[in-house]
Amino acid sequence: MPARYTLQQHPAFSAPLSREDLYTLVARGSLARGEMCVDEATGMTHTVGELISGMRPAGHASGTRARIARPAYREISPDFEIPMEVAETQAEMEAEEEEEEEIEEEEIEEEEPEESADHDYSPSGEIILHHAHPSWLGYPKALFLFLLLLVASGLLYVVQAEYSIISLLCASSTLIAVGISRYSHDYIVTRERVELIWGIIGKSSKEARICDIRSIDVYESGLKGLLGLGTIDFSTAANAGIEVQFKDLRRAHEVKDLVRKLQRGVDPTND
């Protein structure tokens, strides 16, 4: 039969209690460790702290930081209000538990890796590692026409202002058309795929998975090559032809190196 103990000068708990009952009352803040109690069997006097020393809550594992899981206990109702000292002790224990929970939450947040906020995300939730449009210099004929109309507008202004305005409107229309054509083509590289999206009202797209890309060809030639523009052709094993093409792209070789890193499993965001 387990030992039973009677608290001295504590009329709220006059019935004999077991060690588990004493531990539960201390854990709840209803009893201080310095309270004196008498062993019913031997008549020896002990402090509550001595009796419950070394006891652990149920389910405790060494080396694991966790909030105290209180063991099963029987409900003991005092016949009078809890003393002020006990209430203060209970409040202190609750405050300590709240501080431990906050520390654990902060540690968990520090351990969880966070994606950099500098990246944009695709509609499917993938991080966009590279997003570009064709360069303005990829439309040399249209830009030459724009400059020609602009010069003509200045010359016609001396002759007749109406013709000058017409020439200026044509120059503006040419530049707007180039801008629309440029921004209607998107070149996107994510960790999973390379994708070409084009269209103004209705969007079309072609993509190739990084893991399926067999060859990457870069072409820089002629005037566009001198201006630093290149074309990238992505081919896959499933298709004999070109799967995705990025035309008139600046720093084409850097994009090629980015895709090669992804194929090797290197995370470019850590660079």
Side-chain angles (χ1 to χ4, degrees), residues 78-242:
D79 298 331
F80 66 104
E81 295 182 357
I82 299 176
M84 182 62 69
E85 295 81 0
V86 176
E88 291 177 355
T89 303
Q90 184 176 4
E92 291 176 359
M93 291 181 66
E94 291 177 354
E96 290 177 357
E97 290 178 356
E98 290 178 358
E99 290 179 0
E100 290 179 358
E101 288 181 351
E102 291 177 358
I103 292 173
E104 290 176 0
E105 290 176 357
E106 291 176 359
E107 290 178 351
I108 292 173
E109 289 178 357
E110 291 177 358
E111 292 175 358
E112 291 179 351
E114 295 183 358
E115 297 287 357
S116 174
D118 297 334
H119 294 294
D120 295 326
Y121 291 84
S122 66
S124 60
E126 299 176 20
I127 294 178
I128 297 177
L129 302 177
H130 185 81
H131 182 199
H133 303 283
S135 173
W136 286 96
L137 299 177
Y139 304 86
K141 295 180 180 179
L143 293 178
F144 178 75
L145 178 60
F146 166 74
L147 293 175
L148 190 62
L149 291 171
L150 203 60
V151 172
S153 175
L155 296 175
L156 289 173
Y157 183 77
V158 180
V159 180
Q160 194 166 358
E162 291 81 358
Y163 294 137
S164 175
I165 294 174
I166 294 174
S167 180
L168 186 61
L169 290 175
C170 292
S172 301
S173 300
T174 303
L175 189 63
I176 292 172
V178 172
I180 292 174
S181 176
R182 178 175 182 268
Y183 283 102
S184 63
H185 288 73
D186 295 89
Y187 304 146
I188 296 174
V189 179
T190 70
R191 288 193 179 100
E192 300 294 330
R193 68 196 80 251
V194 295
E195 185 174 10
L196 165 64
I197 302 174
W198 72 94
I200 301 174
I201 298 175
K203 293 286 186 179
S204 303
S205 67
K206 291 187 69 175
E207 67 176 44
R209 295 194 305 171
I210 298 293
C211 60
D212 293 336
I213 293 176
R214 174 175 50 84
S215 64
I216 305 175
D217 300 323
V218 178
Y219 299 98
E220 292 182 353
S221 60
L223 178 62
K224 291 183 179 181
L226 292 175
L227 296 175
L229 306 184
T231 297
I232 308 178
D233 295 338
F234 297 98
S235 302
T236 64
N239 194 333
I242 298 171

Side-chain angles (χ1 to χ4, degrees), residues 15-121:
L17 305 172
S18 65
R19 290 181 63 196
E20 288 75 12
D21 293 333
L22 295 174
Y23 177 83
T24 301
L25 291 173
V26 172
R28 294 172 57 196
S30 301
L31 188 64
R33 290 177 173 267
E35 294 285 349
M36 304 299 296
C37 59
V38 179
D39 190 332
E40 291 286 323
T42 63
M44 296 180 65
T45 303
H46 307 274
T47 63
V48 174
E50 292 175 356
L51 295 174
I52 67 173
S53 177
M55 294 183 65
R56 294 290 184 271
H60 178 81
S62 61
T64 303
R65 290 189 57 193
R67 186 176 177 179
I68 293 177
R70 296 183 175 87
Y73 61 91
R74 66 177 187 178
E75 187 67 29
I76 302 174
S77 301
D79 298 331
F80 66 104
E81 295 182 357
I82 299 176
M84 182 62 69
E85 295 81 0
V86 176
E88 291 177 355
T89 303
Q90 184 176 4
E92 291 176 359
M93 291 181 66
E94 291 177 354
E96 290 177 357
E97 290 178 356
E98 290 178 358
E99 290 179 0
E100 290 179 358
E101 288 181 351
E102 291 177 358
I103 292 173
E104 290 176 0
E105 290 176 357
E106 291 176 359
E107 290 178 351
I108 292 173
E109 289 178 357
E110 291 177 358
E111 292 175 358
E112 291 179 351
E114 295 183 358
E115 297 287 357
S116 174
D118 297 334
H119 294 294
D120 295 326
Y121 291 84

